[in-house]
Amino acid sequence: MKCSLLLALVAPTMAFIPMKPVVPMAKAQARVKGQTRMQADMPGLASAPGQPTIESWLLDNSEKKLSKAVLGLFSACKEIAYKIRTASCDKMACFNEFGDEQLAIDILANNVLFQNLKDSGVVATASSEETPTEDPMGGEGYSVAFDPLDGSSIIDTNFAVGTIFGVWPGSRLTGITGRELAASGIAVYGPRTTITFAIDGVEGAHEFLLVDDFTARHGQWIKTNTFTSIGEGKLYAPGNLRATNDNPGYDALHKYWLQNKYQLRYTGGMVPDVNQIMVKGKGVFVNPESPSAKAKLRLLYEVAPIGYVIEKAGGASSYGAGSVLDLKVYKTEDRTQVAYGSKDEVKRFEEMVGTKFATAHPDTAAKNAAHA
């Protein structure tokens, strides 16, 4: 009686359970082949073959001490990515936990980077844009300058932001140029977390993806792309547009882009705006200065490290009269205007904007004074 009653109750429900259609063997095999092909075409999939991790890639392309410094930076960026994803935000700032403290996310990122660099044992000196002093790390071999969280003011709106770092041999971060970099990179915290990284003696800029899919490779950095060419194309990201008011060259350049129907692709975060130039293989990013809108970007923490990556990727950089890699870092807070992109677009920046109003960096200021 009980069994009959149970069947009577269950049978109507079972009638509405959708049954999986039987897939013929040929179609099933085709589906598997299609998935394999899709994985090969989508480098972000962790199961795709032939993707070295950052650890194995460095074994083939770097000496031991530099590898330790770089791995410390990659480890820090992994933690920062998690802290950004789980941050609490209000209209003023975003916060997360660091040990027993609740810190603003940019200060937290700063602390994470310093701790990882100290733990590497191979960093003599480190300096952050947040605290622009040369701080001893207790190691020996390299020195690192970084912007812990470029674009931190737009995190609350869920825009992509980034970390910038440069690694120099030795123990000093002044009296150096970008030409002397041993390695540099930019981390992008967006829908994907990536680091595009360049190293001395290795051609190209190399993109590594942080795997976040709970497969066996979850938490690993895997190589997904190599950038070797930045061609011509009508894509522009114009920073510091207020400078068009009293920099006639920049005003003319901006009008040139509009009249020639360039695509505007500007988020207000320099890291993603520059990263798109490598990913798309075209375009230009500029941040000129003028008498009323002075240069804000710092040579040591932002301009030189990004310039190194862009030039390794096949593009060009300029402060208005030459590569930013040729500018000397006199003080940690030295600033400069900048352009990154394809060679022709950067040349156009030099011809139309130049250095007439570039007074922030001592070298350009001296050139202007000499020609006055």
Side-chain angles (χ1 to χ4, degrees):
M1 182 67 176
K2 290 182 178 179
C3 290
S4 300
L5 181 59
L6 182 62
L7 286 170
L9 291 170
V10 172
T13 306
M14 292 176 65
F16 291 95
I17 297 176
M19 301 297 290
K20 286 187 177 180
V22 177
V23 180
M25 182 60 69
K27 287 187 178 181
Q29 290 174 341
R31 183 177 295 173
V32 171
K33 288 180 181 178
Q35 289 172 342
T36 304
R37 194 179 304 114
M38 178 183 68
Q39 290 168 351
D41 291 340
M42 295 180 64
L45 293 176
S47 55
Q51 296 172 312
T53 63
I54 182 60
E55 291 84 357
S56 62
W57 189 86
L58 286 171
L59 279 175
D60 296 329
N61 293 285
S62 175
E63 57 89 18
K64 189 173 181 181
K65 281 191 173 182
L66 182 56
S67 294
K68 284 186 175 181
V70 169
L71 289 175
L73 289 159
F74 271 69
S75 178
C77 290
K78 182 196 298 187
E79 185 173 348
I80 292 167
Y82 175 76
K83 295 296 186 181
I84 290 172
R85 288 200 310 272
T86 58
S88 300
C89 298
D90 57 29
K91 291 182 180 180
M92 300 301 295
C94 291
F95 303 87
N96 211 325
E97 293 180 2
F98 182 76
D100 296 327
E101 298 181 274
Q102 188 85 356
L103 298 178
I105 200 73
D106 53 345
I107 303 302
L108 186 153
N110 198 54
N111 292 351
V112 167
L113 279 156
F114 271 122
Q115 188 61 58
N116 277 272
L117 292 173
K118 184 174 288 187
D119 291 347
S120 74
V122 296
V123 176
T125 306
S127 186
S128 166
E129 189 189 35
E130 294 286 333
T131 52
T133 58
E134 295 182 74
D135 298 318
M137 292 289 102
E140 184 180 352
Y142 291 91
S143 293
V144 180
F146 58 86
D147 181 350
L149 206 54
D150 182 74
S152 57
S153 63
I154 58 174
I155 291 178
D156 57 344
T157 60
N158 211 21
F159 281 20
V161 294
T163 295
I164 308 164
F165 60 83
V167 184
W168 278 267
S171 59
R172 296 297 307 275
L173 288 169
T174 52
I176 57 174
T177 70
R179 296 284 177 203
E180 300 162 55
L181 275 159
S184 72
I186 56 172
V188 182
Y189 311 112
R192 301 185 306 149
T193 297
T194 62
I195 293 179
T196 301
F197 168 72
I199 190 168
D200 185 41
V202 180
E203 292 298 316
H206 306 272
E207 181 190 75
F208 289 82
L209 169 73
L210 180 60
V211 179
D212 188 18
D213 62 0
F214 299 100
T215 64
R217 303 188 79 175
H218 178 76
Q220 293 183 348
W221 293 95
I222 58 170
K223 188 171 183 295
T224 50
N225 217 331
T226 299
F227 304 116
T228 58
S229 175
I230 297 174
E232 303 310 316
K234 295 183 176 182
L235 184 150
Y236 74 114
N240 199 21
L241 273 175
R242 284 173 292 186
T244 58
N245 290 321
D246 53 349
N247 184 329
Y250 189 22
D251 185 47
L253 179 59
H254 185 242
K255 288 176 179 174
Y256 172 87
W257 291 326
L258 293 173
Q259 290 164 0
N260 287 275
K261 296 180 171 57
Y262 276 54
Q263 288 183 313
L264 173 64
R265 292 291 183 271
Y266 181 72
T267 70
M270 182 169 67
V271 170
D273 288 341
V274 170
N275 190 65
Q276 71 175 334
I277 295 172
M278 293 183 285
V279 174
K280 299 294 188 183
K282 63 180 182 180
V284 63
F285 169 92
V286 302
N287 195 300
E289 61 178 304
S290 75
S292 66
K294 300 296 185 181
K296 294 182 178 180
L297 301 179
R298 302 187 194 190
L299 178 61
L300 176 65
Y301 305 106
E302 300 162 302
V303 175
I306 292 179
Y308 187 81
V309 174
I310 285 288
E311 292 195 17
K312 280 280 194 174
S317 73
S318 180
Y319 61 89
S323 169
V324 298
L325 301 183
D326 294 324
L327 290 176
K328 181 179 284 189
V329 179
Y330 294 100
K331 298 181 296 183
T332 59
E333 294 190 76
D334 285 345
R335 300 166 194 259
T336 181
Q337 65 174 13
V338 67
Y340 303 117
S342 67
K343 291 179 172 64
D344 284 355
E345 291 294 345
V346 170
K347 183 180 179 183
R348 183 176 290 112
F349 172 84
E350 291 182 337
E351 292 172 347
M352 298 183 73
V353 178
T355 60
K356 183 177 180 180
F357 298 102
T359 60
H361 190 272
D363 289 352
T364 51
K367 287 180 182 178
N368 289 337
H371 289 90

